[in-house]
Amino acid sequence: DQQVKQNSPSLSVQEGRISILNCDYTNSMFDYFLWYKKYPAEGPTFLISISSIKDKNEDGRFTVFLNKSAKHLSLHIVPSQPGDSAVYFCAASLKAGNMLTFGGGTRLMVKP
Amino acid sequence: NAGVTQTPKFRVLKTGQSMTLLCAQDMNHEYMYWYRQDPGMGLRLIHYSVGEGTTAKGEVPDGYNVSRLKKQNFLLGLESAAPSQTSVYFCASRNQPGTGYSYEQYFGPGTRLTVT
């Protein structure tokens, strides 16, 4: 039973528009959430994170929103650029946890 | 700093053969992890270590063994490879929790393993 789910395997957006990637989780004990970006033939790289005490965190073009009551988080990329084309993974951790639980990933394609 | 490095980058094994994947990190991180990535399954944790000489099972540990004899190295072994172990394997490391607790893990470039 996957505790972290990314229900959209792929997403295609036009350059300059907003990309919204979604992630749902089932474990209410998750306390911290991260987004990773992965290019082909490379390892995942950390993008942005959010603690459960917040509902929004922003870093440049990237914003993560957390809705704890819905057990849902989303990553917004504005404006989207072709270089953003990659696979995006959301991950979750328990408070002071040693491990991350990852979603299945969403492949984002930004068309010029 | 090289960060997290993995050896080898590619490998093809026959069913029943054994091999060891090496992960090395130069960030003095306490925690190290081995994941496998399969299409649609995301990253699944195989084993991890919270310090030199320690190991613990993750979500999918069967068929794999690990060792952490040195702080900077984390080895993943396949004693008798099976086609189901065809995957991309990623190693990661993380700082020991402390002031300004960070959950961020740093990943290596991956090892693509095919078992025929």
Side-chain angles (χ1 to χ4, degrees), chain A residues 18-54:
Chain A
I18 183 172
S19 296
I20 300 176
L21 294 90
N22 294 304
C23 180
D24 296 295
Y25 61 96
T26 58
N27 189 342
S28 58
M29 300 302 291
F30 283 142
D31 184 68
Y32 200 84
F33 304 88
L34 305 89
W35 284 93
Y36 278 82
K37 176 179 181 178
K38 185 186 177 305
Y39 292 118
E42 294 183 11
T45 55
F46 170 73
L47 191 58
I48 191 169
S49 62
I50 188 167
S51 164
S52 63
I53 63 173
K54 295 184 177 181

Side-chain angles (χ1 to χ4, degrees), chain A residues 64-78:
Chain A
V64 57
F65 295 93
L66 175 62
N67 182 334
K68 284 180 292 184
S69 61
K71 295 191 183 71
H72 177 84
L73 64 155
S74 61
L75 174 69
H76 293 212
I77 307 173
V78 184

Side-chain angles (χ1 to χ4, degrees), chain A residues 32 36 43 93 96-99 103, chain B residues 31 33 42 45 94 101 103 105 108:
Chain A
Y32 200 84
Y36 278 82
S93 175
N98 293 331
M99 300 181 286
Chain B
Y31 291 19
Y33 304 83
L45 183 64
R94 198 192 90 183
Y101 198 98
Y103 297 86
Q105 295 179 16

Side-chain angles (χ1 to χ4, degrees), chain B residues 61-103:
Chain B
D62 294 341
Y64 305 95
N65 57 74
V66 288
S67 65
R68 182 100 182 268
L69 299 179
K70 292 183 179 180
K71 184 177 182 179
Q72 64 268 33
N73 295 338
F74 196 27
L75 278 62
L76 177 71
L78 287 74
E79 288 187 349
S80 180
S84 61
Q85 294 178 303
T86 293
S87 187
V88 181
Y89 292 84
F90 290 100
C91 177
S93 69
R94 198 192 90 183
N95 250 330
Q96 182 177 13
T99 305
Y101 198 98
S102 171
Y103 297 86

